[in-house]
Amino acid sequence: MKLDILAFGAHPDDVELGCAGTIAKEVALGKKVGIIDLTRGELGTRGSAIIRDQEANAAAKILGVSIRENLNMRDGFFVNDEEHQLEVIKIIRKYKPDIVLCNAVDDRHVDHGKGSKLVSDACFLSGLIKIETQYNEVKQEAWRPKLVYHYIQWKNLQPDFVVDITGYNDKRVESILAYTSQFYNPNSDEPETPIASKNFLESLNYRAKDLGRIIGVDYAEGFTVERYLAINSLGDLI
């Protein structure tokens, strides 16, 4: 299956927190979108790997994505080396996305920056024909995504562009709250974490509202880029 967009996250819920509104919008526009989680989030303070698997599947159904897979890398300890790059390259060549979305380039959790660089590097290397990979014992063709964008997570990074997600924010929040083990619940007896606070729950809306305010819409999500954005004409901007 060829995908139009492939979104990577170091942990289940990274993609939802960073770009679920954009994904929901693109799916509604008829694009084929997939999600790849690098790890199962097994080191998370709350929940478990099995619970996170279930939550990730529930979130995928809410967003209507075509596929969701987990590469089972070690939460907290995966590195950006040849072994891990090849695993990502195999996935890129398998689904041949035109656009790749990945973790924030700099963030509070060490896995986010690592995951961002790992996926970005693999996107480039995937286009080199002398790197040979196989999937189901069949040689894969080289493939390099046209565009690589980084969503924004914990830190308030300055976006290079924002996407209007007005009309899709409710679905975005619904997909995030599918991770019931991770976020604010006044009746939970699990340990408190930064993302399990009431303040963080409220931030799901106020950041999207603020980014939307800046461009004159109700809600938006921000992204950063590694190279110049190119447009055909000034009218492409809204």
Side-chain angles (χ1 to χ4, degrees), residues 6 9 28 30 39 45 50 53 62 82 95 99 113-114 154 162 171 175 191 193 203-204 218 230:
L6 191 55
T39 79
T45 302
I50 293 174
D53 290 344
I62 291 168
E82 180 180 354
Y95 290 114
I99 299 172
K114 283 193 300 179
W154 182 268
V162 295
K171 189 173 288 289
S175 74
T193 69
S203 78
L204 299 181
D218 292 336

Side-chain angles (χ1 to χ4, degrees), residues 68-86:
R68 185 168 202 153
E69 295 184 22
N70 195 300
L71 297 187
N72 287 302
M73 296 179 182
R74 290 184 64 201
D75 188 11
F77 294 100
F78 71 85
V79 294
N80 183 13
D81 63 4
E82 180 180 354
E83 177 184 354
H84 291 80
Q85 289 165 357
L86 286 172

Side-chain angles (χ1 to χ4, degrees), residues 105-124:
V105 294
D106 177 41
D107 211 42
R108 169 181 165 272
H109 197 300
V110 295
D111 280 356
H112 295 172
K114 283 193 300 179
S116 175
K117 190 69 166 64
L118 168 61
V119 173
S120 178
D121 288 352
C123 284
F124 176 82

Side-chain angles (χ1 to χ4, degrees), residues 148-184:
V148 179
Y149 299 142
H150 303 263
Y151 47 84
I152 295 171
Q153 297 183 257
W154 182 268
K155 292 185 178 180
N156 286 322
L157 303 182
Q158 183 72 28
D160 293 314
F161 71 92
V162 295
V163 177
D164 176 7
I165 60 166
T166 303
Y168 299 93
N169 189 61
D170 288 347
K171 189 173 288 289
R172 165 184 166 266
V173 173
E174 183 185 359
S175 74
I176 293 170
L177 296 183
Y179 294 88
T180 55
S181 69
Q182 300 302 300
F183 302 111
Y184 177 71

